[in-house]
Amino acid sequence: MAWVMVAGAILSAVSSYKQGQVAKRQGAAIQVAKQFEADQMDQNATQVQAASQRQALEQRRRASLVASRALAVSAAGGAGATDPTIEKIISDIDGEGAYRAAVAIYEGDDRARRMRMGAAAAEYEGGVAAAGGRAAGRAGTIGAIGSLASAGGGLYAKYGMGGANPQAGAL
């Protein structure tokens, strides 16, 4: 009967240890996946900023074209380039172009900032998962040792004190 107790303790210990190792590997795998997610978010953030800079350049280019057109139309109509009304119109067009360019940059920076915050959160989640996996791995190892110690203690109490204890079976 003692061999059944020993076999059960060994199986329980191996099971606890293996469960801990599986949890440890799962935590590490989650960390790798979250790091990949974070890297993608960082890359996307950089692309968003680049696209917003391109939009800003396009807004400035459009404003320049509209201002040039306004100047050409005014000149064709007989007004001079130094006419105060024409100067105000061109100034307003340039101001609107600068405003739109600044808004494009701001929006891109804001989207990139949010993506980078998401990347940091993903990295944190991965770290937490890895730490949890390591802790579960240690717990599994401790559980395995505990199972073996418990079975060993039971066997010692029953058989280790000078032979079989007839009263140990009666309890």
Side-chain angles (χ1 to χ4, degrees):
M1 237 10 198
W3 69 271
V4 173
M5 193 172 183
V6 170
I10 289 171
L11 287 174
S12 178
V14 168
S15 174
S16 292
Y17 179 76
K18 290 292 186 182
Q19 285 176 350
Q21 294 306 304
V22 166
K24 187 176 177 181
R25 283 192 297 273
Q26 284 176 332
I30 290 170
Q31 185 177 28
V32 168
K34 289 295 183 176
Q35 185 60 52
F36 178 76
E37 181 182 342
D39 291 345
Q40 289 298 306
M41 286 181 178
D42 279 335
Q43 184 178 7
N44 291 346
T46 300
Q47 290 174 350
V48 162
Q49 281 185 306
S52 72
Q53 290 169 359
R54 182 68 187 116
Q55 276 183 314
L57 288 173
E58 180 61 20
Q59 290 298 331
R60 287 187 182 109
R61 186 187 72 79
R62 286 181 182 180
S64 178
L65 289 174
V66 171
S68 177
R69 171 95 173 119
L71 184 59
V73 169
S74 70
T82 58
D83 184 86
T85 303
I86 300 305
E87 285 181 351
K88 171 130 177 46
I89 291 171
I90 291 174
S91 176
D92 288 349
I93 291 169
D94 287 340
E96 181 68 20
Y99 170 76
R100 288 179 184 222
V103 167
I105 293 289
Y106 172 80
E107 288 174 348
D109 287 348
D110 185 54
R111 284 193 308 265
R113 179 187 56 78
R114 284 185 274 131
M115 286 179 180
R116 288 194 174 100
M117 286 173 58
E123 286 176 352
Y124 178 76
E125 289 174 13
V128 168
R134 288 190 300 272
R138 288 189 297 273
T141 300
I142 291 169
I145 293 168
S147 292
L148 291 175
S150 176
L155 287 172
Y156 180 77
K158 189 167 185 175
Y159 300 107
M161 297 180 193
N165 185 351
Q167 294 190 6
L171 295 177

